[in-house]
Amino acid sequence: MRSQLTARRLRSTSLSTGTPPSSSSDYSNTLADIAAPILYRSPLPSQDDLPVYVLNAAAFPDASRIKYDALLPYVLARLPNDEDLIGGKGYELIFFAGEEDRTASIPKKARPGWAWILRAYNALSRLIRKRLQKLYLVHQRSWVKVTVEMFSTIVSPKVRKKIVHVSSLSSLALHIPIEDLLIPPSVYLYDRRIARDIYVPYVTGRRAFGVNRPLPTSATGTLRLPRVLRESTSFVLMDDNVKTEGLFRINARAALVSILREAYDRGQKFIVWKEEDSVLTFSHWQEEHGSVMVEEYQYAEGFSLITATGLIKLWYTELQEPIFPQASYPFLRRIVESSPESFQTSTLIDLLGEASDWSPISKVSRQILTMHLLPLLNIIAAHQDWNKMTPYNLAVCLAPALIRGLDVLEDTNILSTISRLLEHTIAHWDSRFASALGTDMRKFNESLRVPEAIEDREDPLDRAISPTTPLHLQTDGIMLIDRDISDDDEERPPLPPRTNTNCEGEENRPSLPPRINKEQLSGEDSTASCMMRRKPAPVLQKPPRYSTILTQSPVSTEDLPVYTMIADGRLSSSSNIETSLENGLHNIPETVISRKPVPEKSDHN
């Protein structure tokens, strides 16, 4: 009865869910743009082949600035309509309830009231409410719990059966494959407060960062760029982005770079790059659905340009073998010292050439330099009039990511040498080095395109990581030698002799004092022995104030003996201790003697 009355009240104040047509003058493009990142459809369906919709609470605007009654129709219009649900099976909804990432200077947004939430639920059609198959509540907070209890108790008790509570993205990965979802950066940042990383079974591992083969082999047998370099570099070289001031000089936010590093290692299928009007995303091939793109990606949240440059620097930093190893430092110094003003082109070509036999740089490092880094920096330096990044500035910013020796001081001293080599190579890449090293800008641009082979669009999993075996990460790369198996010629050092053993091989331990058997002693002897073993009490020269003295006969207060504390807490003369012990303390007649004698009464009183 109560639920029926509540429903009647809600229907009486229900909101209009119909949006005006886009050609109408009442249609608001501003409200439509605000509603797009709040509720959107994920590119790939669920495992049950149901459409998946994502509701992001962090994208809700401030209630004090936006009228939520006017925004509601535009948000609900993004849900499936009744015509799609009549012949379909239903849909699933993922609600990311975490708040937006903000600093102390950004005030907290005002959220809508409870009455508006109830009216918004009542504004949904009956078919939309009934065809909801699963509702995943991720990062739920207190107001979300209250809302769920209110819906399941007052509005519709059947809602409780459809709700799945998960605390983090790692927990959500146990129910659905999160690598198929389009997850905005705000959700990743809020999840960082709960868990340090995201673990997805059978997916989490190393695909791009710190792998054994940094340049994967394509289906045709040639080397290709990994996906992380292909996508981030394509975004950096867009027409508006390449002219942005401070490329590779401004440090990116470490949390966002770490999130992207984890996403590419996990094989996240959909990542959106966005910087003002420049938006870039890539399609994914699915056998059942073909090439899948992100719909309305221009309204989705994306990662910035500075994050892309920080990700490229991180990829070079985490190479298993640095571009310039520590063994190459003396040779690099000789090149700079022999020609301090200008470098010989032939020497640098032999140093960077793939067919060089004497170069101290590994072959893989030379391939990475010629295929990606040097062409990229040359294009950025060509726009130095806008981005203020000269070859010298780029060399100074990228040089620390190319070395990683054992001695930090030696690495610091070699930075200037490597910066000079990079500066000269970047400045003369097109005119001297590109053709001599067997590459050009056409090959570089082709390497940035999406590969035609489906298996080349994603990098292979180099190493899987399991959260239950963290020791695997600690022992990886460590060689364990069995010392029981050794050569016959090797002599083992003798063990040192034990100094705490006697001639019979028994240890010389200190002997304990003999223990007194109290059962063999009589009651008096036992009492006396126990009393004698105690620590003697200090000698009292004068009795304490307000105390009484127990003695056998009255004595004068002027000639008081020295008193000693005995075991039962009484005071007695030192000469009477033995007598008191023999006769028993209970036989001592008690006579109370005051500390100060009472004066006698005079005769005249």
Side-chain angles (χ1 to χ4, degrees):
M1 184 66 180
R2 183 180 300 177
S3 62
Q4 294 178 359
L5 293 175
T6 304
R8 290 177 183 176
R9 293 176 183 175
L10 293 175
R11 293 190 186 97
S12 62
T13 60
S14 61
L15 302 175
S16 176
T17 58
T19 55
S22 58
S23 58
S24 174
S25 59
D26 296 335
Y27 185 82
S28 176
N29 293 322
T30 303
L31 294 177
D33 296 344
I34 295 175
I38 296 176
L39 181 63
Y40 59 90
R41 181 173 178 176
S42 188
L44 291 177
S46 64
Q47 294 178 336
D48 298 331
D49 201 18
L50 298 177
V52 179
Y53 289 85
V54 178
L55 180 61
N56 184 18
F60 276 96
D62 193 350
S64 60
R65 300 181 179 180
I66 299 295
K67 295 182 178 180
Y68 269 75
D69 293 346
L71 178 63
L72 180 63
Y74 294 90
V75 176
L76 298 182
R78 306 186 65 82
L79 288 172
N81 52 32
D82 295 346
E83 297 179 357
D84 298 334
L85 296 177
I86 289 176
K89 300 179 182 179
Y91 67 99
E92 295 181 0
L93 181 63
I94 302 175
F95 181 29
F96 294 114
E99 61 182 358
E100 67 171 350
D101 183 70
R102 59 186 182 89
T103 59
S105 59
I106 301 177
K108 186 177 181 180
K109 292 181 180 179
R111 60 177 178 82
W114 303 108
W116 183 87
I117 296 176
L118 290 175
R119 292 198 303 267
Y121 179 80
N122 185 72
L124 298 174
S125 64
R126 183 179 181 274
L127 194 59
I128 292 179
R129 286 180 285 180
K130 295 299 180 182
R131 289 300 177 90
L132 176 62
Q133 302 299 324
K134 286 290 184 180
L135 174 59
Y136 298 95
L137 296 180
V138 189
H139 304 151
Q140 56 180 340
R141 294 181 290 166
S142 58
W143 70 271
V144 178
K145 297 179 181 179
V146 173
T147 305
V148 171
E149 290 295 330
M150 182 172 52
F151 284 158
S152 58
T153 305
I154 301 176
V155 181
S156 178
K158 298 180 181 180
V159 176
R160 190 185 299 270
K161 301 179 181 180
K162 302 179 181 180
I163 296 177
V164 180
H165 299 271
V166 291
S167 60
S168 62
L169 292 177
S170 299
S171 301
L172 181 63
L174 301 177
H175 300 275
I176 59 175
I178 65 172
E179 64 272 11
D180 296 343
L181 301 176
L182 177 61
I183 303 177
S186 57
V187 176
Y188 284 120
L189 291 174
Y190 189 84
D191 190 77
R192 273 290 192 272
R193 305 181 187 178
I194 303 173
R196 184 178 60 181
D197 51 7
I198 303 173
Y199 175 76
V200 181
Y202 308 106
V203 175
T204 299
R206 293 185 179 181
R207 298 177 183 269
F209 291 84
V211 295
N212 294 326
R213 303 184 62 182
L215 296 178
T217 304
S218 62
T220 58
T222 59
L223 297 178
R224 62 176 180 86
L225 294 179
R227 178 194 169 196
V228 57
L229 291 185
R230 187 178 68 243
E231 295 183 359
S232 58
T233 304
S234 299
F235 182 64
V236 170
L237 294 182
M238 294 183 69
D239 294 338
D240 296 336
N241 295 341
V242 75
K243 298 179 181 179
T244 303
E245 184 176 351
L247 289 177
F248 288 104
R249 180 175 57 83
I250 303 176
N251 294 328
R253 185 175 177 180
L256 292 175
V257 175
S258 177
I259 287 171
L260 277 175
R261 174 193 181 279
E262 193 177 57
Y264 277 104
D265 277 340
R266 184 173 60 248
Q268 197 73 26
K269 295 180 174 61
F270 302 101
I271 296 176
V272 178
W273 298 93
K274 190 173 184 180
E275 182 72 22
E276 296 182 354
D277 296 335
S278 301
V279 184
L280 181 64
T281 185
F282 295 87
S283 62
H284 175 74
W285 177 266
Q286 194 84 0
E287 295 182 359
E288 300 83 1
H289 307 281
S291 181
V292 181
M293 283 288 295
V294 178
E295 298 179 359
E296 299 179 337
Y297 59 87
Q298 64 273 14
Y299 303 110
E301 293 185 28
F303 295 93
S304 63
L305 174 63
I306 302 302
T307 308
T309 57
L311 191 67
I312 295 175
K313 293 172 65 175
L314 181 64
W315 187 87
Y316 280 93
T317 303
E318 293 197 358
L319 287 173
Q320 288 192 2
E321 183 181 2
I323 298 296
F324 298 101
Q326 189 173 0
S328 64
Y329 294 173
F331 183 81
L332 298 178
R333 289 192 180 95
R334 286 197 297 269
I335 294 179
V336 175
E337 293 174 358
S338 60
S339 53
E341 296 181 358
S342 61
F343 299 97
Q344 295 182 2
T345 304
S346 59
T347 304
L348 294 182
I349 291 176
D350 294 339
L351 178 67
L352 303 175
E354 185 177 352
S356 178
D357 297 333
W358 57 268
S359 177
I361 306 175
S362 64
K363 183 178 180 180
V364 177
S365 300
R366 285 174 277 164
Q367 292 172 343
I368 295 174
L369 288 174
T370 56
M371 289 180 59
H372 178 259
L373 184 61
L374 294 177
L376 169 64
L377 299 182
N378 178 258
I379 296 176
I380 296 176
H383 298 81
Q384 57 182 321
D385 295 338
W386 294 273
N387 55 36
K388 310 302 180 184
M389 296 303 294
T390 62
Y392 172 77
N393 295 337
L394 292 172
V396 171
C397 294
L398 269 298
L402 307 181
I403 60 175
R404 190 176 65 253
L406 300 177
D407 189 355
V408 180
L409 182 59
E410 190 174 358
D411 290 346
T412 306
N413 296 331
I414 201 64
L415 279 177
S416 59
T417 301
I418 296 178
S419 300
R420 292 191 57 188
L421 292 175
L422 287 177
E423 178 187 2
H424 182 80
T425 310
I426 294 170
H428 303 281
W429 175 256
D430 287 336
S431 58
R432 301 180 184 180
F433 297 100
S435 59
L437 295 175
T439 183
D440 52 17
M441 285 301 172
R442 181 185 60 82
K443 293 182 179 180
F444 176 67
N445 293 329
E446 290 180 355
S447 65
L448 299 179
R449 297 177 183 174
V450 179
E452 297 181 358
I454 300 175
E455 58 270 20
D456 292 342
R457 298 185 179 182
E458 185 58 74
D459 300 329
L461 185 62
D462 182 72
R463 187 182 302 121
I465 299 178
S466 175
T468 58
T469 57
L471 187 62
H472 172 72
L473 297 179
Q474 302 176 12
T475 59
D476 184 23
I478 300 177
M479 181 178 297
L480 302 179
I481 302 176
D482 189 1
R483 298 300 302 172
D484 293 338
I485 303 175
S486 60
D487 299 335
D488 297 336
D489 298 337
E490 182 180 359
E491 295 183 0
R492 299 182 181 180
L495 296 176
R498 300 181 64 176
T499 58
N500 58 343
T501 57
N502 54 20
C503 58
E504 297 179 358
E506 299 178 356
E507 296 184 2
N508 292 328
R509 299 179 180 178
S511 59
L512 298 176
R515 181 176 296 179
I516 301 176
N517 191 359
K518 296 181 180 181
E519 298 180 356
Q520 299 178 359
L521 299 175
S522 60
E524 296 181 357
D525 297 338
S526 176
T527 305
S529 63
C530 294
M531 293 175 58
M532 295 303 294
R533 291 181 60 183
R534 292 186 180 181
K535 184 178 180 180
V539 178
L540 299 179
Q541 300 297 333
K542 292 183 180 181
R545 193 177 182 183
Y546 306 113
S547 62
T548 58
I549 304 174
L550 301 179
T551 183
Q552 295 180 357
S553 60
V555 295
S556 176
T557 57
E558 298 178 357
D559 188 13
L560 291 176
V562 178
Y563 294 93
T564 307
M565 183 75 67
I566 60 178
D568 60 350
R570 300 186 180 186
L571 293 174
S572 180
S573 174
S574 59
S575 61
N576 296 331
I577 291 179
E578 298 180 357
T579 307
S580 300
L581 293 175
E582 295 177 356
N583 299 332
L585 296 175
H586 58 278
N587 296 327
I588 301 176
E590 297 184 359
T591 302
V592 179
I593 299 177
S594 303
R595 179 183 176 92
K596 184 176 183 181
V598 180
E600 297 180 357
K601 296 182 179 180
S602 60
D603 296 339
H604 64 275
N605 291 334

